[in-house]
Amino acid sequence: MAPSFAINGGFPGTRITPPSDTGRFAAVYSEVQNSRIDHALPLPSVLKNPFVIVDGPQSTAAGNPDEIAKLFPNLFGQPSASLVPSDSAPLHVNRKLKLGVVLSGGQAPGGHNVISGIFDYLQDKAEGSTLYGFRGGPAGIMKCKYVELTSEYIYPYRNQGGFDMIRSGRDKIETPEQFKQAEETVQKLDLDGLVVIGGDDSNTNACLLAEHFRSKNMKTRVIGCPKTIDGDLKCKEVPTSFGFDTACKIYAEMIGNVMIDARSTGKYYHFVRLMGRAASHITLECALQTHPNITIIGEEVAKIETEKMLIQMVETELEKRKQQGTYKGGFKGQSHFFGYEGRCGLPTNFDSSYCYALGYGAAALLQFGKTGLISSVANLCAPVEEWTVGGTALTSLMDVERRHGKFKPVIKKAMVELDGAPFLKFASLRDEWALKNRYISPGPIQFTGPGSDAISQTLLLELDAQA
């Protein structure tokens, strides 16, 4: 039987029963998927007991603070916030809320758990509240297309990969007309808050929405959540973006398998290219997990050739050497690109718990009236119960770029730091890996037993360096 939920088709006052193929059915899940649905997620202890929110010092910006202040006159300088234990919860905490949530940009493992965390917070702390999921990304906000999320609807998506619970999109709310549409939607649904789950561009858009709503003296608050497998949305307060841990482990498994194939045949040289946009965090993490002979980090060079061009370059050079009589061996190259395979896998234990805490924390921030923050969970090397929860001012992550003659706000991308602990660890070993086969095959993601709770080496090294 299809799960029950209400869906709005974009027409005022119209609710229809969705086609059955828009939902998931646990009855056709694998044993692993079904075991993950009912996997109990731990929460940081601060979220399990009464807490209050304490503001930190006034914030600034990652760059060009004067320009950021002009672009966000109502939000700039606001403090970040931390959840701290309290003897009793504030009186307003139990009031009913109406919240919306939207998935923005490319998929990343764990997105469903952010939504589950928001929903469960409302059930636990604000009984009788309503959560709407906007369908198809930010376009769903502009077109007022939404699903009223219920426990029955959310259940089969818990701890599952993908973004198909409400689907995502890459639209942006930028023009005055689009901001007006968003304004009309949140007023129609009487939203107290909106959670935007996305990467750097999406969270920039979240901050612009928060600024717009505040400038109009509207009650709707906006909180972001850090999503991207690329790992380039992070700072001291936001140690990692969700999905990075899972994606890297998926890619590392495939790289490890290719390495064993290379050992087994001695016939092919394998060239692997990985997803990651301008930053090379995925490549660096996978290198630390698998120990390839050669790894090219984009931040070290001006331009990287593709894996196929690298093969052609090697073939050309070896043919030249054969003609000179300096090389007599053989060479057969195999190219691989690992990208989309890592975006929708079953999230690791780390990403499952991290996303759940991010969503739970985002709902808490909204209940306390916060806006223009990104949900932040830290102390991630410790057991989950000891993680810290709060919100970081989105404007504090921003710089400006001049586009078409105007300053545009952007969240500054976190690139691989060549003097950072993960790269220095890699650099200290790369010469040995180049000459000696030190291959590691990590195997598939584990949910129980050895390795099931391991966090990425990048995060481990970065947090250890900050300690």
Side-chain angles (χ1 to χ4, degrees), residues 352-428:
S352 294
S353 297
Y354 181 53
C355 289
Y356 191 65
L358 284 172
Y360 214 89
L365 292 169
L366 288 172
Q367 191 171 41
F368 278 75
K370 296 298 182 181
T371 192
L373 305 180
I374 187 169
S375 183
S376 310
V377 177
N379 197 32
L380 299 177
C381 284
V384 174
E385 290 74 15
E386 298 175 23
W387 288 0
T388 58
V389 182
T392 301
L394 280 165
T395 50
S396 72
L397 309 180
M398 289 191 182
D399 201 342
V400 293
E401 290 180 1
R402 184 175 286 276
R403 298 177 183 174
H404 308 295
K406 294 183 178 180
F407 281 119
K408 294 286 187 180
V410 294
I411 290 179
K412 200 169 182 179
K413 290 186 187 298
M415 307 298 285
V416 169
E417 296 179 358
L418 301 184
D419 59 352
F423 181 81
L424 293 177
K425 173 70 176 296
F426 159 73
S428 71

Side-chain angles (χ1 to χ4, degrees), residues 66-223:
D66 292 341
E67 293 298 332
I68 296 297
K70 293 176 186 176
L71 293 166
F72 297 94
N74 295 287
L75 294 180
F76 180 77
Q78 73 167 337
S80 294
S82 299
L83 277 63
V84 298
S86 173
D87 292 334
S88 60
L91 294 176
H92 72 273
V93 161
N94 292 319
R95 71 182 179 91
K96 296 179 182 179
L97 295 172
K98 291 183 178 180
L99 302 184
V101 61
V102 64
L103 295 164
S104 181
Q107 296 92 311
H112 290 151
N113 274 29
V114 177
I115 298 174
S116 299
I118 299 168
F119 182 83
D120 287 355
Y121 179 90
L122 296 179
Q123 297 298 302
D124 295 342
K125 308 288 187 182
E127 189 176 353
S129 295
T130 304
L131 178 62
Y132 300 106
F134 288 103
R135 296 189 292 139
I141 299 175
M142 294 184 279
K143 298 176 182 178
C144 198
K145 292 185 176 181
Y146 63 89
V147 176
E148 183 177 331
L149 300 174
T150 66
S151 58
E152 293 83 4
Y153 181 69
I154 287 176
Y155 175 74
Y157 296 93
R158 290 180 181 270
N159 299 313
Q160 305 297 309
F163 274 10
D164 50 309
M165 182 194 293
I166 54 175
R167 297 194 178 97
S168 184
R170 294 188 179 276
D171 303 274
K172 291 186 177 67
I173 300 172
E174 297 178 306
T175 68
E177 294 77 16
Q178 290 170 331
F179 277 106
K180 181 65 175 175
Q181 290 174 328
E183 188 179 324
E184 290 172 350
T185 293
V186 301
Q187 288 178 328
K188 175 184 174 181
L189 297 179
D190 192 30
L191 292 188
D192 297 291
L194 172 67
V195 180
V196 178
I197 303 169
D200 50 356
D201 286 344
S202 300
N203 275 283
T204 298
N205 213 207
C207 198
L208 289 167
L209 268 179
E211 175 69 26
H212 178 79
F213 292 157
R214 178 163 281 186
S215 72
K216 297 281 188 176
N217 200 30
M218 297 169 61
K219 73 171 186 175
T220 307
R221 308 297 199 253
V222 184
I223 297 293

